[in-house]
Amino acid sequence: ARESQTLPDPILIGTDGMAMLALSAAVMLLSGGTTLLLCLAYVLWVACRTRCDAPAARRILVLGTRLDGHGEPGPDFRARLSRAATLYARDGTGHIVLLGGSMATGQPSEAAAGAAFLRAHNIPGEAILLEDCSRHTLENFLLYRARFASEPAPAVLITSRFHLARASLLAAGLGIRHRRCAAWPYRR
């Protein structure tokens, strides 16, 4: 079910953001790149250890990704949506929450395109919830938290393997309880 939302404010870095960016650059330079290597190692560790199945959950969160030139989900987004449909089909309860706004004029939102894909794959419309105003992952989670995060049980968070570490850290930092789930099996 789609509810109308207002568009978020423009993205502003501000003085706090610039200070954090400068501090991050300084730490990276002073550490000789070690912090960058540690971050890469963590991303790879999460990517390799995360399974592509998850226990049943009341909410399945699917992070959107840019649509193709025809306004359709690309291969990575279709993999995320297919994984969500598989998890939902196990018990047929709960909701799939699609996160992602429109990134190009004249195209549907990522969430709306994902909903059309899921309905075409026999997921009932009442099981699909949309957050369709966000433009990036942080906004995905901020708008999700404001609208949906009242559920005390952890949600299942589905995204690509190499996006899981970043997305999971953002969600946890915003107090969104979740379990990670990779869209693709470890080896394709």
Side-chain angles (χ1 to χ4, degrees):
R2 181 183 169 128
E3 294 179 21
S4 177
Q5 295 182 12
T6 60
L7 292 175
D9 293 330
I11 301 169
L12 298 175
I13 294 178
T15 56
D16 290 342
M18 290 303 288
M20 182 54 69
L21 182 62
L23 177 64
S24 297
V27 167
M28 191 169 48
L29 288 172
L30 292 172
S31 72
T34 304
T35 55
L36 187 61
L37 291 175
L38 289 173
C39 289
L40 178 60
Y42 179 69
V43 167
L44 291 173
W45 182 79
V46 169
C48 291
R49 292 188 45 93
T50 302
R51 297 171 53 103
C52 65
D53 59 356
R58 298 278 310 137
R59 296 249 165 89
I60 300 168
L61 309 181
V62 180
L63 291 173
T65 186
R66 288 192 185 267
L67 304 175
D68 68 16
H70 304 289
E72 298 292 326
D76 186 49
F77 195 19
R78 286 194 309 268
R80 297 175 192 189
L81 295 165
S82 295
R83 178 64 53 207
T86 299
L87 294 177
Y88 176 83
R90 278 199 250 164
D91 65 1
T93 63
H95 292 96
I96 299 173
V97 183
L98 301 173
L99 309 172
S102 180
M103 300 304 286
T105 305
Q107 279 196 341
S109 70
E110 295 164 359
F117 179 92
L118 289 173
R119 284 191 300 273
H121 289 82
N122 301 318
I123 302 297
E126 61 272 6
I128 303 168
L129 302 173
L130 307 181
E131 177 291 297
D132 59 357
C133 290
S134 56
R135 298 166 291 191
H136 53 77
T137 308
L138 179 58
E139 279 184 357
N140 288 156
F141 290 129
L142 287 169
L143 294 173
Y144 168 80
R145 183 179 69 175
R147 190 163 159 215
F148 299 113
S150 62
E151 180 71 38
V156 171
L157 173 62
I158 300 174
T159 190
S160 63
R161 285 195 176 278
F162 295 106
H163 189 228
L164 276 166
R166 179 176 162 270
S168 183
L169 286 171
L170 282 171
L174 291 170
I176 298 170
R177 296 183 61 220
H178 66 282
R179 292 186 181 109
R180 294 184 292 246
C181 181
W184 295 97
Y186 182 66
R187 295 200 170 120
R188 291 197 245 173

